[in-house]
Amino acid sequence: MAPGNKQHKLKYHLEKALIEGVRYIATFGGPYSNHIDAFVKRTVELGLQPIVVVRGEVQPSLTDTLRTAVCNGAILYPCSRQDYKRGLDSDVKRQVDSDFNTIYWIPEGGSGPLGVKGCQDWAEGILNNNGSGGEPWDMVCLASGTGTTAAGFLSSSNVSQLAVFSALKGTKNLELDIRSQALVDTSGKHLLTFDECYHGGFGKFSPELFAFLCDVYSLNPTLKLDPVYTGKMLYQVQQLITDGRWPYRRTLFIHTGGLQGWRGVAKHHWPFDSIDY
Ligand SMILES: *Cc1c(COP(=O)(O)O)cnc(C)c1O
């Protein structure tokens, strides 16, 4: 199983890999990546051999995310940050291609039109069934990294207003980024974008965030949020409400998963005793 948005981003890529009949399937990811976690679980379930190009040196004591990947049968390739940036053009990709024959490659995070399409389906499913008591939502909120998931939601005929909360600090052109990945013309749709301006940037944590997540969990013991994406999104909306800058009454938050990301955080900061992911 691979909960969260990554399985939706992977859906059509995996379908294509199976149609092509490959045995090897490869992708890129960071050492704490939710994408790697979902990618390895899903590909192994389908009988494929996963190969993962890991950003930065691979430490001999693997992160929990990478250890799980190896235990599930993944082959890891370390990659310098510089080469990693070149993605499907990198030297390491050429190396992997020469070590194995016929590999299906998935871009980092499962992005690209196939990833967007899987998220569009997901959005259709969520927004078909769940009105807010039959009334339309005033705003749909979604956390983002590459913007692929947001592009899928914005491409759904059921979404006409979307607020996107980037997990990255100082994102420029996020709106354009998302609109340009969309599968349909989104110019008539209302898209709000925010960057991560409270906790120091991607994967960074603050005492305020931890305190907030403990409060949220104690008030909602059935709701576990992740520390990198959904937790920060809720924190930011809470700030907007406090500042009087959130005029929307019926707000829908999309839970994109990512609980395994807590494995990159010291346990004494966890709001809960355990995570199921
Ligand atoms: C990867 C991820 C996102 C961001 O998805 P993008 O399609 O890259 O924008 C959001 N939330 C969680 C939990 C994720 O793991």
Side-chain angles (χ1 to χ4, degrees), residues 5-6 9 34 143-150 226 229-230 256-258:
N5 67 331
K6 296 304 184 290
K9 295 177 75 174
N34 294 332
S144 89
T146 62
T148 300
T149 307
D226 83 288
Y229 294 99
T230 55
T256 40

Side-chain angles (χ1 to χ4, degrees), residues 232-275:
K232 287 184 175 178
M233 166 174 70
L234 249 71
Y235 182 97
Q236 199 154 1
V237 173
Q238 171 73 32
Q239 293 296 319
L240 289 164
I241 292 172
T242 308
D243 297 347
R245 292 167 55 209
W246 193 257
Y248 313 103
R249 227 163 51 78
R250 288 178 295 272
T251 300
L252 175 67
F253 292 95
I254 305 299
H255 199 318
T256 40
L259 290 180
Q260 74 91 32
W262 280 107
R263 296 191 293 174
V265 175
K267 262 211 160 129
H268 64 269
H269 288 309
W270 291 21
F272 20 77
D273 298 328
S274 65
I275 42 172

Side-chain angles (χ1 to χ4, degrees), residues 3 16 34 75 81 92-93 108 116 125 154 161 174 191 205 209 217 219 221 223 226 228 232 245 262 271 277:
K16 189 150 174 252
N34 294 332
I75 298 168
R81 282 162 195 276
V92 69
K93 162 152 188 309
E108 179 172 20
V116 176
L154 203 62
Q161 16 225 2
L174 181 58
L191 174 61
F205 312 113
L209 179 66
Y217 186 63
L219 293 169
L223 175 66
D226 83 288
V228 178
K232 287 184 175 178
R245 292 167 55 209
W262 280 107
Y277 52 85

Side-chain angles (χ1 to χ4, degrees), residues 24 49 51 75 77 95-103:
Y24 300 104
Q49 168 63 57
I51 301 168
I75 298 168
Y77 276 73
Q95 181 64 48
V96 178
D97 279 333
S98 77
D99 291 348
F100 299 90
N101 33 21
T102 339
I103 301 174

